[in-house]
Short mmCIF file of all heavy atoms in Angstrom, two decimals:
data_model
loop_
_atom_site.label_atom_id
_atom_site.label_comp_id
_atom_site.label_asym_id
_atom_site.label_seq_id
_atom_site.Cartn_x
_atom_site.Cartn_y
_atom_site.Cartn_z
N MET G 1 -31.31 60.16 227.99
CA MET G 1 -30.51 59.97 226.75
C MET G 1 -29.02 60.27 227.07
O MET G 1 -28.66 61.30 227.60
CB MET G 1 -31.08 60.99 225.72
CG MET G 1 -30.28 61.04 224.47
SD MET G 1 -31.01 62.18 223.27
CE MET G 1 -30.99 61.15 221.88
N ALA G 2 -28.20 59.31 226.70
CA ALA G 2 -26.81 59.32 227.10
C ALA G 2 -26.11 60.47 226.32
O ALA G 2 -25.23 61.15 226.89
CB ALA G 2 -26.10 58.01 226.73
N LEU G 3 -26.48 60.69 225.07
CA LEU G 3 -25.79 61.75 224.31
C LEU G 3 -26.07 63.11 224.90
O LEU G 3 -25.19 63.99 224.92
CB LEU G 3 -26.28 61.67 222.86
CG LEU G 3 -25.54 62.55 221.85
CD1 LEU G 3 -24.03 62.31 221.88
CD2 LEU G 3 -26.07 62.32 220.42
N LEU G 4 -27.23 63.35 225.37
CA LEU G 4 -27.59 64.62 226.10
C LEU G 4 -26.72 64.81 227.32
O LEU G 4 -26.17 65.89 227.53
CB LEU G 4 -29.06 64.66 226.45
CG LEU G 4 -29.46 65.92 227.15
CD1 LEU G 4 -29.19 67.23 226.35
CD2 LEU G 4 -30.97 65.90 227.49
N GLN G 5 -26.52 63.75 228.07
CA GLN G 5 -25.65 63.84 229.27
C GLN G 5 -24.18 64.17 228.87
O GLN G 5 -23.55 64.98 229.54
CB GLN G 5 -25.71 62.56 230.04
CG GLN G 5 -24.93 62.57 231.34
CD GLN G 5 -25.46 63.63 232.31
OE1 GLN G 5 -26.69 63.70 232.50
NE2 GLN G 5 -24.61 64.41 232.94
N ILE G 6 -23.69 63.56 227.84
CA ILE G 6 -22.37 63.86 227.34
C ILE G 6 -22.27 65.31 226.95
O ILE G 6 -21.29 66.02 227.31
CB ILE G 6 -21.95 62.96 226.18
CG1 ILE G 6 -21.81 61.53 226.66
CG2 ILE G 6 -20.71 63.42 225.49
CD1 ILE G 6 -21.70 60.50 225.57
N MET G 7 -23.24 65.88 226.23
CA MET G 7 -23.25 67.25 225.80
C MET G 7 -23.32 68.15 227.00
O MET G 7 -22.61 69.21 227.03
CB MET G 7 -24.44 67.49 224.86
CG MET G 7 -24.31 66.81 223.49
SD MET G 7 -22.73 67.22 222.61
CE MET G 7 -22.94 68.96 222.40
N GLU G 8 -24.08 67.84 228.02
CA GLU G 8 -24.16 68.64 229.20
C GLU G 8 -22.83 68.70 229.95
O GLU G 8 -22.36 69.75 230.41
CB GLU G 8 -25.22 68.12 230.16
CG GLU G 8 -26.65 68.44 229.67
CD GLU G 8 -27.70 67.89 230.61
OE1 GLU G 8 -27.35 67.29 231.66
OE2 GLU G 8 -28.87 68.06 230.29
N ASP G 9 -22.15 67.56 230.00
CA ASP G 9 -20.87 67.50 230.66
C ASP G 9 -19.80 68.29 229.90
O ASP G 9 -18.87 68.89 230.54
CB ASP G 9 -20.38 66.06 230.80
CG ASP G 9 -21.19 65.25 231.73
OD1 ASP G 9 -21.99 65.79 232.54
OD2 ASP G 9 -21.09 63.97 231.74
N ARG G 10 -19.85 68.32 228.61
CA ARG G 10 -18.86 69.00 227.85
C ARG G 10 -19.14 70.44 227.55
O ARG G 10 -18.27 71.22 227.18
CB ARG G 10 -18.62 68.26 226.49
CG ARG G 10 -18.14 66.83 226.69
CD ARG G 10 -17.92 66.11 225.33
NE ARG G 10 -16.88 66.77 224.53
CZ ARG G 10 -15.60 66.56 224.74
NH1 ARG G 10 -15.15 65.75 225.67
NH2 ARG G 10 -14.70 67.14 223.96
N TYR G 11 -20.40 70.85 227.66
CA TYR G 11 -20.85 72.24 227.31
C TYR G 11 -20.00 73.33 227.97
O TYR G 11 -19.87 73.35 229.18
CB TYR G 11 -22.32 72.35 227.62
CG TYR G 11 -22.88 73.70 227.13
CD1 TYR G 11 -23.07 73.91 225.80
CD2 TYR G 11 -23.18 74.71 228.05
CE1 TYR G 11 -23.62 75.09 225.33
CE2 TYR G 11 -23.66 75.89 227.56
CZ TYR G 11 -23.93 76.12 226.18
OH TYR G 11 -24.41 77.31 225.76
N GLY G 12 -19.41 74.16 227.14
CA GLY G 12 -18.63 75.28 227.61
C GLY G 12 -17.23 74.91 228.16
O GLY G 12 -16.47 75.79 228.57
N ARG G 13 -16.91 73.66 228.11
CA ARG G 13 -15.60 73.24 228.64
C ARG G 13 -14.66 72.56 227.63
O ARG G 13 -13.44 72.65 227.69
CB ARG G 13 -15.80 72.21 229.79
CG ARG G 13 -16.43 72.78 231.02
CD ARG G 13 -16.55 71.76 232.05
NE ARG G 13 -17.85 72.02 232.70
CZ ARG G 13 -18.48 71.12 233.43
NH1 ARG G 13 -17.99 69.98 233.56
NH2 ARG G 13 -19.67 71.41 233.88
N HIS G 14 -15.28 71.86 226.72
CA HIS G 14 -14.50 71.09 225.71
C HIS G 14 -15.09 71.23 224.34
O HIS G 14 -16.30 71.42 224.19
CB HIS G 14 -14.52 69.56 226.11
CG HIS G 14 -14.01 69.33 227.45
ND1 HIS G 14 -12.66 69.35 227.80
CD2 HIS G 14 -14.67 68.93 228.61
CE1 HIS G 14 -12.57 69.03 229.10
NE2 HIS G 14 -13.80 68.85 229.59
N SER G 15 -14.26 71.04 223.35
CA SER G 15 -14.75 71.05 221.97
C SER G 15 -15.37 69.68 221.69
O SER G 15 -14.95 68.67 222.18
CB SER G 15 -13.61 71.25 220.97
OG SER G 15 -13.06 72.56 221.14
N THR G 16 -16.41 69.66 220.82
CA THR G 16 -17.09 68.44 220.46
C THR G 16 -17.33 68.46 218.96
O THR G 16 -17.83 69.43 218.50
CB THR G 16 -18.38 68.27 221.25
OG1 THR G 16 -18.12 68.33 222.62
CG2 THR G 16 -19.06 66.91 220.96
N ILE G 17 -17.00 67.34 218.29
CA ILE G 17 -17.30 67.23 216.86
C ILE G 17 -18.34 66.15 216.73
O ILE G 17 -18.23 65.04 217.21
CB ILE G 17 -16.02 66.89 216.06
CG1 ILE G 17 -14.99 68.02 216.21
CG2 ILE G 17 -16.38 66.61 214.62
CD1 ILE G 17 -13.67 67.71 215.52
N ILE G 18 -19.38 66.48 216.03
CA ILE G 18 -20.48 65.52 215.75
C ILE G 18 -20.67 65.53 214.20
O ILE G 18 -20.78 66.64 213.60
CB ILE G 18 -21.76 65.93 216.45
CG1 ILE G 18 -21.55 65.79 217.94
CG2 ILE G 18 -22.95 65.03 216.01
CD1 ILE G 18 -22.73 66.06 218.84
N THR G 19 -20.81 64.38 213.68
CA THR G 19 -21.09 64.24 212.23
C THR G 19 -22.45 63.51 212.07
O THR G 19 -22.76 62.72 212.90
CB THR G 19 -19.99 63.49 211.47
OG1 THR G 19 -19.93 62.17 211.99
CG2 THR G 19 -18.66 64.17 211.64
N SER G 20 -23.13 63.85 211.05
CA SER G 20 -24.40 63.22 210.83
C SER G 20 -24.77 63.33 209.35
O SER G 20 -24.46 64.24 208.68
CB SER G 20 -25.51 63.93 211.62
OG SER G 20 -26.81 63.44 211.30
N GLN G 21 -25.42 62.31 208.84
CA GLN G 21 -25.96 62.31 207.48
C GLN G 21 -27.36 62.95 207.51
O GLN G 21 -27.90 63.22 206.44
CB GLN G 21 -25.96 60.94 206.85
CG GLN G 21 -24.57 60.37 206.69
CD GLN G 21 -24.55 58.96 206.08
OE1 GLN G 21 -25.54 58.27 206.22
NE2 GLN G 21 -23.53 58.66 205.38
N LEU G 22 -27.92 63.11 208.65
CA LEU G 22 -29.28 63.68 208.78
C LEU G 22 -29.16 65.17 208.93
O LEU G 22 -28.50 65.64 209.92
CB LEU G 22 -29.97 63.04 209.97
CG LEU G 22 -31.44 63.33 210.22
CD1 LEU G 22 -32.28 62.74 209.08
CD2 LEU G 22 -31.86 62.75 211.57
N PRO G 23 -29.85 65.98 208.10
CA PRO G 23 -29.82 67.42 208.28
C PRO G 23 -30.35 67.83 209.61
O PRO G 23 -31.32 67.24 210.14
CB PRO G 23 -30.70 67.95 207.15
CG PRO G 23 -30.77 66.79 206.16
CD PRO G 23 -30.62 65.56 206.97
N VAL G 24 -29.79 68.89 210.19
CA VAL G 24 -30.24 69.32 211.50
C VAL G 24 -31.72 69.64 211.60
O VAL G 24 -32.37 69.41 212.55
CB VAL G 24 -29.41 70.62 211.92
CG1 VAL G 24 -29.96 71.24 213.21
CG2 VAL G 24 -27.94 70.26 212.08
N ALA G 25 -32.30 70.13 210.47
CA ALA G 25 -33.72 70.47 210.45
C ALA G 25 -34.62 69.20 210.73
O ALA G 25 -35.75 69.31 211.13
CB ALA G 25 -34.10 71.06 209.11
N GLN G 26 -34.04 68.01 210.43
CA GLN G 26 -34.82 66.80 210.67
C GLN G 26 -34.56 66.05 212.02
O GLN G 26 -35.14 65.07 212.30
CB GLN G 26 -34.50 65.78 209.53
CG GLN G 26 -34.96 66.31 208.15
CD GLN G 26 -34.55 65.34 207.07
OE1 GLN G 26 -34.19 64.20 207.30
NE2 GLN G 26 -34.66 65.77 205.82
N TRP G 27 -33.71 66.70 212.81
CA TRP G 27 -33.35 66.07 214.07
C TRP G 27 -34.54 66.00 215.06
O TRP G 27 -34.67 65.12 215.82
CB TRP G 27 -32.17 66.78 214.74
CG TRP G 27 -30.88 66.45 214.08
CD1 TRP G 27 -30.69 65.89 212.85
CD2 TRP G 27 -29.59 66.70 214.60
NE1 TRP G 27 -29.33 65.78 212.53
CE2 TRP G 27 -28.64 66.25 213.63
CE3 TRP G 27 -29.10 67.21 215.76
CZ2 TRP G 27 -27.30 66.33 213.80
CZ3 TRP G 27 -27.72 67.26 215.96
CH2 TRP G 27 -26.83 66.85 215.00
N TYR G 28 -35.41 67.02 215.01
CA TYR G 28 -36.59 67.03 215.94
C TYR G 28 -37.46 65.76 215.63
O TYR G 28 -37.92 65.14 216.53
CB TYR G 28 -37.37 68.34 215.81
CG TYR G 28 -36.81 69.47 216.53
CD1 TYR G 28 -36.02 70.37 215.97
CD2 TYR G 28 -37.18 69.61 217.88
CE1 TYR G 28 -35.48 71.46 216.63
CE2 TYR G 28 -36.63 70.73 218.64
CZ TYR G 28 -35.81 71.58 218.00
OH TYR G 28 -35.27 72.64 218.71
N ASP G 29 -37.68 65.56 214.34
CA ASP G 29 -38.49 64.39 213.96
C ASP G 29 -37.79 63.08 214.40
O ASP G 29 -38.47 62.17 214.84
CB ASP G 29 -38.80 64.36 212.50
CG ASP G 29 -39.64 65.49 212.07
OD1 ASP G 29 -40.45 65.99 212.89
OD2 ASP G 29 -39.55 65.91 210.89
N TYR G 30 -36.51 63.00 214.21
CA TYR G 30 -35.72 61.82 214.52
C TYR G 30 -35.72 61.52 216.03
O TYR G 30 -35.93 60.44 216.47
CB TYR G 30 -34.34 61.92 213.95
CG TYR G 30 -33.46 60.72 214.27
CD1 TYR G 30 -33.64 59.51 213.59
CD2 TYR G 30 -32.54 60.70 215.33
CE1 TYR G 30 -32.92 58.45 213.88
CE2 TYR G 30 -31.78 59.65 215.59
CZ TYR G 30 -31.96 58.43 214.91
OH TYR G 30 -31.21 57.31 215.18
N LEU G 31 -35.48 62.60 216.83
CA LEU G 31 -35.39 62.42 218.31
C LEU G 31 -36.76 62.19 218.89
O LEU G 31 -36.89 61.58 219.93
CB LEU G 31 -34.70 63.63 218.91
CG LEU G 31 -33.28 63.80 218.54
CD1 LEU G 31 -32.75 65.14 219.07
CD2 LEU G 31 -32.40 62.66 219.07
N ALA G 32 -37.84 62.66 218.26
CA ALA G 32 -39.23 62.38 218.64
C ALA G 32 -39.67 62.81 220.01
O ALA G 32 -40.83 62.66 220.37
CB ALA G 32 -39.57 60.90 218.47
N GLU G 33 -38.79 63.40 220.82
CA GLU G 33 -39.11 63.94 222.15
C GLU G 33 -38.72 65.41 222.12
O GLU G 33 -37.59 65.75 222.22
CB GLU G 33 -38.38 63.19 223.24
CG GLU G 33 -38.63 63.66 224.61
CD GLU G 33 -40.06 63.46 225.05
OE1 GLU G 33 -40.66 62.37 224.76
OE2 GLU G 33 -40.65 64.38 225.69
N PRO G 34 -39.75 66.33 221.92
CA PRO G 34 -39.37 67.72 221.72
C PRO G 34 -38.55 68.38 222.82
O PRO G 34 -37.65 69.13 222.56
CB PRO G 34 -40.77 68.40 221.68
CG PRO G 34 -41.70 67.30 221.25
CD PRO G 34 -41.14 66.05 221.83
N THR G 35 -38.76 68.03 224.08
CA THR G 35 -38.02 68.58 225.21
C THR G 35 -36.59 68.20 225.08
O THR G 35 -35.66 69.00 225.31
CB THR G 35 -38.68 68.14 226.54
OG1 THR G 35 -40.03 68.53 226.54
CG2 THR G 35 -37.94 68.83 227.70
N ILE G 36 -36.32 66.91 224.86
CA ILE G 36 -34.95 66.43 224.78
C ILE G 36 -34.29 67.04 223.52
O ILE G 36 -33.11 67.41 223.56
CB ILE G 36 -34.90 64.90 224.78
CG1 ILE G 36 -35.30 64.38 226.11
CG2 ILE G 36 -33.54 64.39 224.32
CD1 ILE G 36 -35.41 62.85 226.22
N ALA G 37 -35.02 67.05 222.41
CA ALA G 37 -34.43 67.68 221.18
C ALA G 37 -34.06 69.11 221.43
O ALA G 37 -32.99 69.55 220.99
CB ALA G 37 -35.46 67.54 220.06
N ASP G 38 -34.90 69.86 222.08
CA ASP G 38 -34.65 71.30 222.36
C ASP G 38 -33.35 71.38 223.23
O ASP G 38 -32.47 72.21 222.96
CB ASP G 38 -35.74 71.98 223.16
CG ASP G 38 -36.87 72.46 222.23
OD1 ASP G 38 -36.58 72.63 221.01
OD2 ASP G 38 -37.97 72.64 222.66
N ALA G 39 -33.27 70.61 224.29
CA ALA G 39 -32.10 70.69 225.17
C ALA G 39 -30.84 70.28 224.41
O ALA G 39 -29.77 70.92 224.59
CB ALA G 39 -32.31 69.74 226.34
N PHE G 40 -30.91 69.24 223.69
CA PHE G 40 -29.75 68.75 222.98
C PHE G 40 -29.28 69.75 221.90
O PHE G 40 -28.05 70.08 221.87
CB PHE G 40 -30.05 67.38 222.31
CG PHE G 40 -28.91 66.85 221.48
CD1 PHE G 40 -27.77 66.31 222.09
CD2 PHE G 40 -28.89 66.87 220.13
CE1 PHE G 40 -26.71 65.80 221.38
CE2 PHE G 40 -27.86 66.34 219.37
CZ PHE G 40 -26.77 65.88 220.01
N LEU G 41 -30.20 70.20 221.12
CA LEU G 41 -29.83 71.14 220.03
C LEU G 41 -29.36 72.52 220.58
O LEU G 41 -28.51 73.12 220.01
CB LEU G 41 -30.97 71.28 219.03
CG LEU G 41 -31.24 70.05 218.19
CD1 LEU G 41 -32.49 70.24 217.40
CD2 LEU G 41 -30.07 69.67 217.34
N ASP G 42 -29.92 72.90 221.69
CA ASP G 42 -29.50 74.13 222.32
C ASP G 42 -28.02 74.07 222.73
O ASP G 42 -27.25 74.94 222.44
CB ASP G 42 -30.36 74.45 223.58
CG ASP G 42 -29.93 75.74 224.27
OD1 ASP G 42 -29.92 76.79 223.55
OD2 ASP G 42 -29.59 75.72 225.43
N ARG G 43 -27.63 72.98 223.32
CA ARG G 43 -26.25 72.81 223.73
C ARG G 43 -25.30 72.53 222.58
O ARG G 43 -24.14 73.02 222.57
CB ARG G 43 -26.11 71.63 224.71
CG ARG G 43 -26.70 71.98 226.10
CD ARG G 43 -27.04 70.77 226.88
NE ARG G 43 -27.59 71.08 228.18
CZ ARG G 43 -28.85 71.44 228.38
NH1 ARG G 43 -29.65 71.54 227.34
NH2 ARG G 43 -29.28 71.70 229.65
N LEU G 44 -25.79 71.91 221.58
CA LEU G 44 -24.97 71.59 220.43
C LEU G 44 -24.81 72.82 219.49
O LEU G 44 -23.65 73.06 219.02
CB LEU G 44 -25.61 70.41 219.61
CG LEU G 44 -24.85 69.98 218.36
CD1 LEU G 44 -23.48 69.45 218.76
CD2 LEU G 44 -25.66 68.92 217.61
N LEU G 45 -25.81 73.51 219.17
CA LEU G 45 -25.77 74.53 218.17
C LEU G 45 -25.40 75.91 218.69
O LEU G 45 -24.99 76.76 217.87
CB LEU G 45 -27.13 74.59 217.44
CG LEU G 45 -27.48 73.32 216.67
CD1 LEU G 45 -28.88 73.45 216.06
CD2 LEU G 45 -26.48 72.92 215.70
N HIS G 46 -25.48 76.10 219.99
CA HIS G 46 -25.05 77.41 220.55
C HIS G 46 -23.55 77.54 220.33
O HIS G 46 -22.82 76.70 220.82
CB HIS G 46 -25.47 77.53 222.00
CG HIS G 46 -25.21 78.89 222.55
ND1 HIS G 46 -24.17 79.09 223.46
CD2 HIS G 46 -25.82 80.07 222.41
CE1 HIS G 46 -24.16 80.30 223.76
NE2 HIS G 46 -25.13 80.99 223.15
N GLN G 47 -23.09 78.54 219.74
CA GLN G 47 -21.63 78.78 219.47
C GLN G 47 -21.02 77.68 218.61
O GLN G 47 -19.85 77.43 218.65
CB GLN G 47 -20.90 78.89 220.82
CG GLN G 47 -21.27 80.07 221.59
CD GLN G 47 -20.43 80.21 222.89
OE1 GLN G 47 -19.60 79.40 223.20
NE2 GLN G 47 -20.71 81.27 223.66
N ALA G 48 -21.85 77.04 217.76
CA ALA G 48 -21.31 76.03 216.90
C ALA G 48 -20.81 76.57 215.56
O ALA G 48 -21.24 77.61 215.12
CB ALA G 48 -22.37 74.92 216.63
N HIS G 49 -19.91 75.88 214.97
CA HIS G 49 -19.49 76.08 213.60
C HIS G 49 -20.06 74.88 212.76
O HIS G 49 -19.61 73.80 213.01
CB HIS G 49 -17.97 76.16 213.50
CG HIS G 49 -17.36 77.27 214.28
ND1 HIS G 49 -17.28 78.56 213.77
CD2 HIS G 49 -16.86 77.27 215.50
CE1 HIS G 49 -16.70 79.28 214.69
NE2 HIS G 49 -16.37 78.55 215.78
N ARG G 50 -20.98 75.21 211.92
CA ARG G 50 -21.57 74.16 211.11
C ARG G 50 -21.01 74.17 209.70
O ARG G 50 -20.81 75.17 209.09
CB ARG G 50 -23.05 74.34 211.05
CG ARG G 50 -23.74 74.06 212.34
CD ARG G 50 -25.23 74.37 212.31
NE ARG G 50 -25.86 73.68 211.18
CZ ARG G 50 -27.11 73.93 210.83
NH1 ARG G 50 -27.83 74.86 211.41
NH2 ARG G 50 -27.66 73.23 209.80
N ILE G 51 -20.73 72.94 209.21
CA ILE G 51 -20.23 72.77 207.83
C ILE G 51 -21.23 71.82 207.22
O ILE G 51 -21.33 70.65 207.61
CB ILE G 51 -18.85 72.23 207.77
CG1 ILE G 51 -17.88 73.15 208.49
CG2 ILE G 51 -18.39 71.98 206.30
CD1 ILE G 51 -16.50 72.65 208.69
N GLU G 52 -21.97 72.32 206.21
CA GLU G 52 -22.93 71.40 205.52
C GLU G 52 -22.37 71.12 204.15
O GLU G 52 -22.07 72.03 203.32
CB GLU G 52 -24.28 72.08 205.41
CG GLU G 52 -24.91 72.27 206.74
CD GLU G 52 -26.35 72.77 206.64
OE1 GLU G 52 -26.99 72.51 205.62
OE2 GLU G 52 -26.82 73.37 207.61
N LEU G 53 -22.17 69.84 203.87
CA LEU G 53 -21.62 69.42 202.62
C LEU G 53 -22.81 69.18 201.64
O LEU G 53 -23.81 68.71 201.98
CB LEU G 53 -20.85 68.06 202.79
CG LEU G 53 -19.70 68.12 203.78
CD1 LEU G 53 -19.08 66.77 203.89
CD2 LEU G 53 -18.65 69.17 203.34
N LYS G 54 -22.52 69.56 200.38
CA LYS G 54 -23.51 69.40 199.34
C LYS G 54 -22.95 68.63 198.22
O LYS G 54 -21.82 68.51 198.02
CB LYS G 54 -24.03 70.82 198.86
CG LYS G 54 -24.67 71.59 199.98
CD LYS G 54 -25.14 72.89 199.48
CE LYS G 54 -25.98 73.52 200.53
NZ LYS G 54 -25.89 74.59 201.16
N GLY G 55 -23.83 68.05 197.43
CA GLY G 55 -23.40 67.32 196.27
C GLY G 55 -23.71 65.81 196.42
O GLY G 55 -24.19 65.37 197.46
N GLU G 56 -23.39 65.12 195.40
CA GLU G 56 -23.62 63.66 195.36
C GLU G 56 -22.66 62.94 196.27
O GLU G 56 -21.52 63.34 196.44
CB GLU G 56 -23.47 63.19 193.90
CG GLU G 56 -23.95 61.73 193.78
CD GLU G 56 -23.99 61.32 192.32
OE1 GLU G 56 -23.96 62.18 191.42
OE2 GLU G 56 -24.02 60.07 192.06
N SER G 57 -23.09 61.87 196.87
CA SER G 57 -22.32 61.04 197.72
C SER G 57 -21.09 60.49 196.99
O SER G 57 -21.24 60.06 195.81
CB SER G 57 -23.16 59.87 198.28
OG SER G 57 -22.32 58.95 198.97
N GLN G 58 -19.98 60.48 197.60
CA GLN G 58 -18.80 59.87 196.99
C GLN G 58 -18.88 58.37 196.91
O GLN G 58 -18.21 57.74 196.09
CB GLN G 58 -17.51 60.27 197.82
CG GLN G 58 -17.22 61.74 197.87
CD GLN G 58 -16.84 62.24 196.45
OE1 GLN G 58 -15.97 61.68 195.82
NE2 GLN G 58 -17.54 63.26 195.99
N ARG G 59 -19.78 57.79 197.69
CA ARG G 59 -19.95 56.35 197.61
C ARG G 59 -20.61 55.92 196.28
O ARG G 59 -20.51 54.76 195.90
CB ARG G 59 -20.83 55.88 198.77
CG ARG G 59 -20.13 56.01 200.10
CD ARG G 59 -21.10 55.51 201.18
NE ARG G 59 -20.59 55.89 202.46
CZ ARG G 59 -21.22 55.92 203.55
NH1 ARG G 59 -22.53 55.52 203.51
NH2 ARG G 59 -20.75 56.28 204.67
N LYS G 60 -21.34 56.87 195.68
CA LYS G 60 -22.02 56.50 194.45
C LYS G 60 -21.07 56.45 193.22
O LYS G 60 -21.43 55.89 192.19
CB LYS G 60 -23.11 57.55 194.15
CG LYS G 60 -24.23 57.42 195.16
CD LYS G 60 -25.36 58.43 194.80
CE LYS G 60 -26.49 58.29 195.81
NZ LYS G 60 -27.58 59.25 195.54
N GLN G 61 -19.93 56.99 193.38
CA GLN G 61 -18.90 56.95 192.29
C GLN G 61 -18.35 55.54 192.18
O GLN G 61 -18.06 54.92 193.17
CB GLN G 61 -17.77 57.92 192.54
CG GLN G 61 -18.17 59.36 192.39
CD GLN G 61 -17.02 60.30 192.48
OE1 GLN G 61 -15.87 59.87 192.76
NE2 GLN G 61 -17.21 61.57 192.25
N GLY G 62 -18.31 55.01 190.97
CA GLY G 62 -17.78 53.64 190.80
C GLY G 62 -16.29 53.57 191.06
O GLY G 62 -15.59 54.57 190.96
N LYS G 63 -15.82 52.36 191.36
CA LYS G 63 -14.39 52.18 191.65
C LYS G 63 -13.67 52.31 190.30
O LYS G 63 -14.14 51.88 189.29
CB LYS G 63 -14.19 50.83 192.21
CG LYS G 63 -14.76 50.65 193.64
CD LYS G 63 -14.37 49.31 194.24
CE LYS G 63 -14.91 49.33 195.68
NZ LYS G 63 -14.69 48.06 196.31
N GLY G 64 -12.47 52.92 190.37
CA GLY G 64 -11.64 53.09 189.24
C GLY G 64 -11.95 54.34 188.46
O GLY G 64 -11.23 54.70 187.52
N GLU G 65 -13.04 55.02 188.76
CA GLU G 65 -13.39 56.29 188.07
C GLU G 65 -12.56 57.41 188.73
O GLU G 65 -12.30 57.39 189.95
CB GLU G 65 -14.85 56.60 188.18
CG GLU G 65 -15.75 55.70 187.43
CD GLU G 65 -17.20 56.11 187.56
OE1 GLU G 65 -17.50 57.26 187.89
OE2 GLU G 65 -18.07 55.30 187.32
N GLU G 66 -12.21 58.40 187.94
CA GLU G 66 -11.52 59.52 188.47
C GLU G 66 -12.56 60.46 189.18
O GLU G 66 -13.69 60.58 188.67
CB GLU G 66 -10.84 60.36 187.39
CG GLU G 66 -9.61 59.64 186.86
CD GLU G 66 -8.87 60.55 185.88
OE1 GLU G 66 -8.89 61.73 186.08
OE2 GLU G 66 -8.23 60.02 184.97
N LYS G 67 -12.15 61.07 190.23
CA LYS G 67 -13.03 62.01 190.94
C LYS G 67 -12.88 63.35 190.30
O LYS G 67 -11.80 63.80 190.09
CB LYS G 67 -12.67 62.04 192.41
CG LYS G 67 -12.95 60.77 193.17
CD LYS G 67 -12.51 60.96 194.63
CE LYS G 67 -12.69 59.64 195.36
NZ LYS G 67 -12.27 59.73 196.75
N SER G 68 -14.00 63.95 190.03
CA SER G 68 -13.89 65.37 189.46
C SER G 68 -13.86 66.33 190.63
O SER G 68 -14.57 66.15 191.61
CB SER G 68 -15.11 65.61 188.54
OG SER G 68 -16.31 65.46 189.29
N VAL G 69 -13.03 67.34 190.51
CA VAL G 69 -12.87 68.29 191.60
C VAL G 69 -13.48 69.66 191.17
O VAL G 69 -13.50 70.04 190.09
CB VAL G 69 -11.40 68.47 191.94
CG1 VAL G 69 -11.21 69.48 193.00
CG2 VAL G 69 -10.83 67.17 192.37
#
């Protein structure tokens, strides 16, 4: 898996930002290979700062409508 190799190369040396619409709890099912999922998530989540956004998607708001803050 190329993404795992990138994470291994950067681990402990460089900052990495990853965005996903899939919650981390569902990554094991998505990756479908438990050993690779463990290795990837170990490198990604160790010393990570996670920001989970909540609420309705901004894409669902119609054009021309004001955004409520």
Side-chain angles (χ1 to χ4, degrees):
M1 175 179 226
L3 189 54
L4 179 58
Q5 184 62 45
I6 291 169
M7 292 304 299
E8 286 179 2
D9 291 345
R10 297 182 64 80
Y11 185 72
R13 293 182 221 160
H14 305 285
S15 297
T16 304
I17 297 175
I18 294 183
T19 63
S20 173
Q21 293 179 333
L22 187 66
V24 172
Q26 296 177 13
W27 286 16
Y28 279 96
D29 293 333
Y30 180 76
L31 294 172
E33 179 64 43
T35 305
I36 292 176
D38 278 337
F40 178 73
L41 291 173
D42 180 55
R43 285 160 183 79
L44 179 64
L45 298 177
H46 184 255
Q47 298 183 357
H49 297 278
R50 290 176 53 192
I51 301 171
E52 293 187 27
L53 303 178
K54 296 182 171 123
E56 190 173 344
S57 170
Q58 295 296 308
R59 293 181 192 164
K60 291 182 180 179
Q61 290 186 356
K63 291 184 179 180
E65 292 182 20
E66 287 188 31
K67 295 180 183 179
S68 59
V69 179

